[in-house]
Structures are given as C-alpha cells and as structure tokens.
Amino acid sequence: ERPACPKLSLKKDCAGNSYKELYHHFHSEGWVTFTSCSLKKNEETVLEPVTEYVRNLTRSRASTVNLKCVKDLAADPDTVEFMEYIHGGRRAFPFQTLNFKVGTQQGFHSDLTFFDTQPRTLMAAAWVALEDTNPNNGPLKFVPKSHRYGIWDFNDIGLPYKYDIGDSEESRSKADGPYYIELAKIIKKMGFKTKLADNIKRGQTFIWAAALVHGGAPVKNSSLTRMSQVSHYFFEGSSYYWNPMYSDIGKNKIRYDNLQIKACETQLRNLDSDLKPAFTCADAHTEAFMNFAKEEL
C-alpha cells in the first residue's frame, strides 16, 4: 500500500517520526500518536487558552463551544494535513469538538455508532492531551487493530436499531446501555488485547481510525484531572452525514444530525506534486465550522 503525497512521506512530526512510518502504524494498529509542529509553535495562542478554558469548566465536558481557541485547535494545520495524508490525500474538515476536564470512564464503543458517512467510515478523531496522561487519571483505553474487524455499531454487533428513541438524556441512556454491555462482552469473547494511552504528553495528539473500539479507563485517583480536547473530522466523498444509532437504512429512516454539512465530491492532493486543490468543499465546511456560533452547555 502506497501512501499518497510522496513528498509528505519524507516529512517528520515534531517528535522526529516520519509521516510514512506513522502512516503504516496507523493503518496496521488503527491509532497513532502525532506531535504537531504548528501546535507546538502556537502553544501560547491555542493550547494555553484551551487548557485554561477546560481548567475552569464547572462540568465534566463541553461540546462544540464557540471559542476561537477551541476551533483553532480542531483546525490545527499540521494535524489536518497529517489526517489527510494518512487517509490517502482525501480532504478533511472538523465538525465537532468535545472538551473534557476529567476522564470519561466511558465504555468501549465505536464512533461510527453515533456519526458516520455514506459510504461509511470517512471519519476520524484526534484527541489532544492538555496535560500528561497517566494510569491513574482515566486515560483513553482502546483495542488495537479492532478497526480491521468491523464497524462495531448496533447492527454490526446484532442489536436492533434505535431510530424510534427520543433525544432526552434518559432515552439516550436506555439506548446506549445495552450497546456498551454487549460490545464489552464481544471484545472479551474474541480475546482482543486492550491498551491504555497512559503516556500521552501535553500537546501530543492521539489519532484513531473511525472503527477503532475505544473508551475511557477508570479514574483511579479522583483528585486528578485529565484535561483534553477531541475533535472529530469528516472527509470529502460522502453523499450524506448521519447518525447510525438513530437510523435504519432498510426502513428509509435516516437521522441527519447536521443538515448544514452538504455532500461534496472528493478532491485529492496531487500525488506527484503534493499540491492540494485551491479551494474545495472541505475548506467551505471548515469555514462554516469556524463561524458556527452555537454553544452547547
């Protein structure tokens, strides 16, 4: 398998790892740790303000907040460039951010349960540590190589669709509960090995494939924070963007979470010159994301 953009293959991240080596690790394992040079350069204007924001949160998490520093972190140039590189040059754009003050302790899941594309899996996530992780502050847990075995949504693990469930927290809990339980059983039954991202340094980015099974490890010391931001990205080439958990394609019941994200044709970086198109719908979607004014509390 040949990575797109040969010139980028020679580039290294700020930890000295070549893009080509990181590319092969990502596709083999379903995850990779990336150190962005542009983020390191902009630490005072991006990383510090986001850290201060999360430190002062009065709740455990915040979703897609209207703060320039949060959006700038999601649109970090080196991170987006690298995401496009490991996805064959396909243009990417952020569509959601989540900021966490403490470890989530969330059960194993696949992001494709909650949002996806058509065709499927044109999505990825980048989790930035705002402080060092360790075994006691509830680091990410994940199942290496699990992205090779399925998409791990409701249908994939044999659970019924939940398209008739409401949007309330109670309804979501009723829908999510059986999913987390069943997926944990399957992971154990199949003998998968699990791993902790317990040595991610402040400013480093943990990137995972759309179908990688992951969650939050137990917080062993409740006095510790685990400040972070995860940004989710879609890629060009999808006919629509949807929520599989609340959909049933067989019954033509599709839940579109964000109708503002319009379909667009795939635009790839030039494999020989490494040039990307001057302006594509990924750029338009990124501009819309940066100008999005809603704050979800």
Side-chain angles (χ1 to χ4, degrees):
E1 185 177 7
R2 181 172 76 103
C5 318
K7 289 186 178 180
L8 281 182
S9 294
L10 302 176
K11 189 173 180 178
K12 295 183 178 181
D13 74 353
C14 262
N17 302 303
S18 75
Y19 277 26
K20 184 176 181 179
E21 291 172 348
L22 295 175
Y23 173 96
H24 289 296
H25 185 279
F26 174 81
H27 285 279
S28 172
E29 299 293 320
W31 64 276
V32 71
T33 301
F34 176 73
T35 306
S36 165
C37 293
S38 56
L39 183 56
K40 191 172 183 178
K41 179 181 178 181
N42 297 321
E43 182 172 356
E44 291 186 5
T45 58
V46 178
L47 204 62
E48 283 292 347
V50 177
T51 303
E52 187 65 19
Y53 164 69
V54 175
R55 182 180 291 116
N56 293 315
L57 280 176
T58 56
R59 54 196 186 279
S60 62
R61 60 172 255 178
S63 174
T64 315
V65 295
N66 185 31
L67 286 176
K68 184 178 184 302
C69 58
V70 169
K71 296 176 181 180
D72 285 343
L73 181 52
D76 173 63
D78 278 4
T79 301
V80 174
E81 175 190 74
F82 180 70
M83 294 279 276
E84 293 176 351
Y85 170 75
I86 60 177
H87 287 86
R90 191 183 294 266
R91 301 297 312 285
F93 57 92
F95 70 91
Q96 184 205 53
T97 60
L98 293 168
N99 293 94
F100 299 102
K101 188 171 185 177
V102 297
T104 65
Q105 304 186 93
Q106 187 177 8
F108 277 131
H109 63 281
S110 164
D111 287 339
L112 298 177
T113 300
F114 308 109
F115 30 71
D116 199 5
T117 57
Q118 190 60 257
R120 304 202 67 173
T121 76
L122 297 179
M123 193 273 295
W127 184 94
V128 180
L130 301 177
E131 61 181 322
D132 295 354
T133 65
N134 61 66
N136 298 315
N137 68 349
L140 290 169
K141 62 180 181 180
F142 59 97
V143 183
K145 302 182 188 294
S146 55
H147 68 304
R148 296 182 173 192
Y149 293 88
I151 55 178
W152 308 104
D153 65 358
F154 273 74
N155 185 59
D156 207 33
I157 66 172
L159 291 179
Y161 288 100
K162 298 294 181 181
Y163 62 86
D164 56 346
I165 296 294
D167 287 333
S168 69
E169 191 68 31
E170 182 180 359
S171 296
R172 285 180 177 270
S173 179
K174 288 181 179 179
D176 290 354
Y179 170 77
Y180 290 124
I181 293 172
E182 186 63 23
L183 182 54
K185 289 180 180 178
I186 292 173
I187 294 300
K188 184 177 181 180
K189 184 177 181 179
M190 293 183 68
F192 279 114
K193 294 181 179 180
T194 62
K195 190 176 177 68
L196 297 181
D198 57 3
N199 193 31
I200 309 298
K201 303 302 181 184
R202 170 178 162 80
Q204 287 189 313
T205 304
F206 184 87
I207 297 172
W208 63 81
L212 188 78
V213 175
H214 64 283
V219 177
K220 296 181 179 179
N221 186 338
S222 60
S223 68
L224 298 177
T225 57
R226 194 215 63 181
M227 296 184 291
S228 59
Q229 175 171 316
V230 61
S231 304
H232 290 99
Y233 303 81
F234 282 142
F235 294 87
E236 291 183 346
S238 175
S239 58
Y240 57 83
Y241 304 91
W242 58 302
N243 184 324
M245 188 172 101
Y246 290 95
S247 303
D248 187 341
I249 294 179
K251 295 187 177 182
N252 198 31
K253 293 181 179 291
I254 307 297
R255 166 71 174 268
Y256 306 96
D257 274 354
N258 191 339
L259 294 175
Q260 294 180 341
I261 304 179
K262 304 299 183 182
C264 54
E265 295 181 359
T266 303
Q267 297 287 330
L268 300 177
R269 288 177 178 267
N270 185 292
L271 294 180
D272 296 317
S273 67
D274 185 37
L275 294 176
K276 64 181 180 181
F279 190 88
T280 73
C281 58
D283 297 302
H285 287 323
T286 298
E287 286 187 0
F289 170 82
M290 297 299 287
N291 294 323
F292 188 54
K294 176 185 175 183
E295 178 171 359
E296 182 180 317
L297 301 178

